Structure formats: C-alpha cells, structure tokens
Amino acid sequence: LTPVKLRGVEIDPRRDDFFRRVIEVRKSLDRIPGLTKEDAEWLKGSLKVLANSGGYGVLAEMNPENLPRDEAKWITAHGMDGAFGCRTHAPETLGQYCFPLMAALTTSAARLMLALLERCVTDLGGHYVFCDTDSMAIVATKRGGLIPCVGGDRTRRDGTEAIRALTWEQVDQIVDRFRALNPYDAAKVPGSILEIEDENFDERGRRHQLLVYAISAKRYASGSPLSTAWVISWIP
C-alpha cells in the first residue's frame, strides 16, 4: 500500500479514509494560495465526481445493451420470491466493481439522513415541499406561523386551509443539530453536514424569502405559493 495522487490529492491508504480525504480537500480549495477561482471550481467538480463515483457509482454500474426490436436475450432475474427467467431487449452487463448490496447500503445511509431531517421538521409541527437525493425544501418564513395551503392540516381564522411554517431560526437550529454527525476534520470542513442553499440569500448575503409553487406526486398538490428555506446535505 503506497500513497497515490488522484486529481492532485495525495491519498495514503495506510492512514487516510479515501472519501473523507477527497471531501476535505474539496472543501479546502478556496484557501489554497495561488489557485485561481476557475481552477478551484473545476477541481471541486472533479473531486465531487471522484467521491460520488468511487463511493457509489462503481458499485452500482450496470451497462445496458439495446438490442434490435426483433432480438431479445434470455436472462435470469432475482426477486423477493426467488429467481425467474425472462426475455429482454435491453440486457445489462455488470461493471467490474458492481456490488449492488454495498451500493444499497450507501443509498440507505443517505435516506437515513433525510429521515432524520424529516423527523426534526415534523417534530416542530413543520412541513416540507419535497425532498431530493440529498436535500429538503422546508416550509419556513422569517417569523413562522400559518400560511395558506390547499389540503393543509390547519385552518386560518378566515377558514382557509393552511400549514405551519417554521421560522428561519428553527431551520438554523435543525442545521446546527446535525453538527454532531460531521465525520470530517472540523478545521477543514467546519460546522454541520447540512447547509442552507445560496438561493436563500441575496447578492449582499442577506437572507430573503423564497416562494415555490409545487405539485408533487410524492407529496401533495399545493394550491398557493409556499415560502421555503432550502437545506441540502453535504453527503458527497
């Protein structure tokens, strides 16, 4: 086991955790003397791909082969009730390092982070508009309170359906709560594994209100604009 450089990042497998090291370097690029902003942005993207591909991509690599319509290949599929045979026009070849069981553990850990975040929001009586792979759009305003929403679980004084918006301070407290889960060197990647997205701030860095009109099959159909604060995790 000898040190190796990947995209300029030296990894010593006898000492370093590969993925932690890559992310720590990625988050430290802005503090490297002589590195231009353009080069830093390029390297950030490259290291992000390296971490994602190495931590998950190669473990879930399946390469489909699109056969002509009049051709099909007999394959064996494995399901909850056992194996069965079938014909397909798009057979898949496993990648060299494909190991779906390990890939499933990676994604399930990310889902666990979202589940923890969801619980933190709902425990405060709050709601979220939608989730993505590593992010959540939380319904929040500066002062919180009830806001109109068709199908909401609350009712305003004028009789309109509504939901409770968290305050920005409550969202910040949730972000800070995840600080304890930060697996990185605090000097290189300080703070929480969650961060408020840049879209929540204006060009002067002042927090401002976002609005979203959302229709989501996974959540609910909103009949009015919702004020939201975006929170996205740092899971690479």
mmCIF file of all heavy atoms in Angstrom, residues 63-73 88-93:
data_model
loop_
_atom_site.group_PDB
_atom_site.id
_atom_site.type_symbol
_atom_site.label_atom_id
_atom_site.label_comp_id
_atom_site.label_asym_id
_atom_site.label_seq_id
_atom_site.Cartn_x
_atom_site.Cartn_y
_atom_site.Cartn_z
ATOM 1 N N ASN A 63 -24.370 -1.619 -17.322
ATOM 2 C CA ASN A 63 -24.324 -1.081 -18.678
ATOM 3 C C ASN A 63 -25.335 -1.779 -19.574
ATOM 4 O O ASN A 63 -25.171 -2.960 -19.908
ATOM 5 C CB ASN A 63 -22.903 -1.250 -19.244
ATOM 6 C CG ASN A 63 -21.861 -0.589 -18.352
ATOM 7 O OD1 ASN A 63 -21.906 0.602 -18.120
ATOM 8 N ND2 ASN A 63 -20.923 -1.374 -17.838
ATOM 9 N N PRO A 64 -26.408 -1.069 -19.960
ATOM 10 C CA PRO A 64 -27.449 -1.691 -20.794
ATOM 11 C C PRO A 64 -27.003 -1.843 -22.244
ATOM 12 O O PRO A 64 -26.231 -1.034 -22.762
ATOM 13 C CB PRO A 64 -28.616 -0.714 -20.678
ATOM 14 C CG PRO A 64 -27.965 0.607 -20.434
ATOM 15 C CD PRO A 64 -26.739 0.316 -19.609
ATOM 16 N N GLU A 65 -27.489 -2.874 -22.880
ATOM 17 C CA GLU A 65 -27.247 -3.128 -24.305
ATOM 18 C C GLU A 65 -28.595 -3.108 -25.016
ATOM 19 O O GLU A 65 -29.467 -3.924 -24.730
ATOM 20 C CB GLU A 65 -26.577 -4.489 -24.504
ATOM 21 C CG GLU A 65 -26.347 -4.852 -25.974
ATOM 22 C CD GLU A 65 -25.808 -6.255 -26.142
ATOM 23 O OE1 GLU A 65 -25.648 -6.959 -25.111
ATOM 24 O OE2 GLU A 65 -25.584 -6.676 -27.294
ATOM 25 N N ASN A 66 -28.785 -2.137 -25.873
ATOM 26 C CA ASN A 66 -30.059 -2.010 -26.586
ATOM 27 C C ASN A 66 -30.048 -2.875 -27.842
ATOM 28 O O ASN A 66 -29.377 -2.575 -28.819
ATOM 29 C CB ASN A 66 -30.323 -0.548 -26.952
ATOM 30 C CG ASN A 66 -30.507 0.334 -25.725
ATOM 31 O OD1 ASN A 66 -31.191 -0.065 -24.793
ATOM 32 N ND2 ASN A 66 -29.894 1.505 -25.723
ATOM 33 N N LEU A 67 -30.798 -3.968 -27.808
ATOM 34 C CA LEU A 67 -30.867 -4.889 -28.936
ATOM 35 C C LEU A 67 -31.916 -4.430 -29.941
ATOM 36 O O LEU A 67 -32.832 -3.671 -29.596
ATOM 37 C CB LEU A 67 -31.239 -6.288 -28.422
ATOM 38 C CG LEU A 67 -30.273 -6.924 -27.406
ATOM 39 C CD1 LEU A 67 -30.822 -8.265 -26.945
ATOM 40 C CD2 LEU A 67 -28.885 -7.078 -27.998
ATOM 41 N N PRO A 68 -31.793 -4.852 -31.198
ATOM 42 C CA PRO A 68 -32.835 -4.564 -32.186
ATOM 43 C C PRO A 68 -34.187 -5.110 -31.727
ATOM 44 O O PRO A 68 -34.263 -6.027 -30.918
ATOM 45 C CB PRO A 68 -32.330 -5.297 -33.438
ATOM 46 C CG PRO A 68 -30.857 -5.412 -33.244
ATOM 47 C CD PRO A 68 -30.659 -5.596 -31.777
ATOM 48 N N ARG A 69 -35.265 -4.534 -32.264
ATOM 49 C CA ARG A 69 -36.604 -4.911 -31.822
ATOM 50 C C ARG A 69 -36.904 -6.393 -32.033
ATOM 51 O O ARG A 69 -37.660 -6.998 -31.283
ATOM 52 C CB ARG A 69 -37.651 -4.083 -32.565
ATOM 53 C CG ARG A 69 -37.679 -2.610 -32.148
ATOM 54 C CD ARG A 69 -38.841 -1.895 -32.790
ATOM 55 N NE ARG A 69 -38.923 -0.495 -32.337
ATOM 56 C CZ ARG A 69 -39.880 0.336 -32.719
ATOM 57 N NH1 ARG A 69 -40.824 -0.080 -33.562
ATOM 58 N NH2 ARG A 69 -39.881 1.573 -32.262
ATOM 59 N N ASP A 70 -36.311 -6.973 -33.064
ATOM 60 C CA ASP A 70 -36.602 -8.378 -33.353
ATOM 61 C C ASP A 70 -35.653 -9.327 -32.617
ATOM 62 O O ASP A 70 -35.676 -10.535 -32.851
ATOM 63 C CB ASP A 70 -36.530 -8.642 -34.857
ATOM 64 C CG ASP A 70 -35.172 -8.264 -35.446
ATOM 65 O OD1 ASP A 70 -34.400 -7.558 -34.752
ATOM 66 O OD2 ASP A 70 -34.895 -8.668 -36.584
ATOM 67 N N GLU A 71 -34.820 -8.780 -31.736
ATOM 68 C CA GLU A 71 -33.907 -9.611 -30.966
ATOM 69 C C GLU A 71 -34.176 -9.460 -29.468
ATOM 70 O O GLU A 71 -34.591 -8.404 -28.998
ATOM 71 C CB GLU A 71 -32.449 -9.222 -31.240
ATOM 72 C CG GLU A 71 -31.985 -9.519 -32.651
ATOM 73 C CD GLU A 71 -30.509 -9.231 -32.832
ATOM 74 O OE1 GLU A 71 -29.787 -9.243 -31.804
ATOM 75 O OE2 GLU A 71 -30.085 -8.988 -33.975
ATOM 76 N N ALA A 72 -33.959 -10.518 -28.754
ATOM 77 C CA ALA A 72 -34.128 -10.498 -27.300
ATOM 78 C C ALA A 72 -33.163 -11.498 -26.686
ATOM 79 O O ALA A 72 -32.725 -12.443 -27.339
ATOM 80 C CB ALA A 72 -35.563 -10.833 -26.914
ATOM 81 N N LYS A 73 -32.834 -11.276 -25.439
ATOM 82 C CA LYS A 73 -31.903 -12.143 -24.735
ATOM 83 C C LYS A 73 -32.579 -12.719 -23.499
ATOM 84 O O LYS A 73 -33.287 -12.029 -22.783
ATOM 85 C CB LYS A 73 -30.649 -11.361 -24.343
ATOM 86 C CG LYS A 73 -29.564 -12.221 -23.715
ATOM 87 C CD LYS A 73 -28.310 -11.391 -23.438
ATOM 88 C CE LYS A 73 -27.200 -12.251 -22.832
ATOM 89 N NZ LYS A 73 -25.972 -11.454 -22.570
ATOM 90 N N THR A 88 -35.531 -10.050 -22.616
ATOM 91 C CA THR A 88 -35.454 -8.592 -22.591
ATOM 92 C C THR A 88 -34.738 -8.076 -23.830
ATOM 93 O O THR A 88 -33.881 -8.762 -24.399
ATOM 94 C CB THR A 88 -34.728 -8.094 -21.326
ATOM 95 O OG1 THR A 88 -34.621 -6.665 -21.385
ATOM 96 C CG2 THR A 88 -33.324 -8.674 -21.237
ATOM 97 N N HIS A 89 -35.111 -6.857 -24.248
ATOM 98 C CA HIS A 89 -34.443 -6.198 -25.377
ATOM 99 C C HIS A 89 -33.300 -5.306 -24.885
ATOM 100 O O HIS A 89 -32.598 -4.712 -25.703
ATOM 101 C CB HIS A 89 -35.444 -5.350 -26.172
ATOM 102 C CG HIS A 89 -36.516 -6.156 -26.829
ATOM 103 N ND1 HIS A 89 -36.293 -6.912 -27.964
ATOM 104 C CD2 HIS A 89 -37.817 -6.340 -26.501
ATOM 105 C CE1 HIS A 89 -37.418 -7.522 -28.320
ATOM 106 N NE2 HIS A 89 -38.361 -7.183 -27.448
ATOM 107 N N ALA A 90 -33.130 -5.199 -23.569
ATOM 108 C CA ALA A 90 -32.070 -4.350 -23.009
ATOM 109 C C ALA A 90 -31.353 -5.068 -21.870
ATOM 110 O O ALA A 90 -31.476 -4.687 -20.704
ATOM 111 C CB ALA A 90 -32.655 -3.028 -22.525
ATOM 112 N N PRO A 91 -30.599 -6.107 -22.194
ATOM 113 C CA PRO A 91 -29.851 -6.804 -21.136
ATOM 114 C C PRO A 91 -28.755 -5.903 -20.570
ATOM 115 O O PRO A 91 -28.234 -5.029 -21.272
ATOM 116 C CB PRO A 91 -29.255 -8.010 -21.875
ATOM 117 C CG PRO A 91 -29.146 -7.558 -23.301
ATOM 118 C CD PRO A 91 -30.339 -6.674 -23.533
ATOM 119 N N GLU A 92 -28.410 -6.105 -19.320
ATOM 120 C CA GLU A 92 -27.411 -5.276 -18.653
ATOM 121 C C GLU A 92 -26.184 -6.098 -18.269
ATOM 122 O O GLU A 92 -26.315 -7.227 -17.797
ATOM 123 C CB GLU A 92 -28.004 -4.622 -17.400
ATOM 124 C CG GLU A 92 -29.125 -3.644 -17.704
ATOM 125 C CD GLU A 92 -29.729 -3.061 -16.440
ATOM 126 O OE1 GLU A 92 -29.664 -3.742 -15.399
ATOM 127 O OE2 GLU A 92 -30.264 -1.943 -16.499
ATOM 128 N N THR A 93 -25.029 -5.504 -18.483
ATOM 129 C CA THR A 93 -23.770 -6.124 -18.088
ATOM 130 C C THR A 93 -23.240 -5.411 -16.852
ATOM 131 O O THR A 93 -23.145 -4.185 -16.823
ATOM 132 C CB THR A 93 -22.732 -6.024 -19.216
ATOM 133 O OG1 THR A 93 -23.247 -6.662 -20.389
ATOM 134 C CG2 THR A 93 -21.433 -6.707 -18.796
#
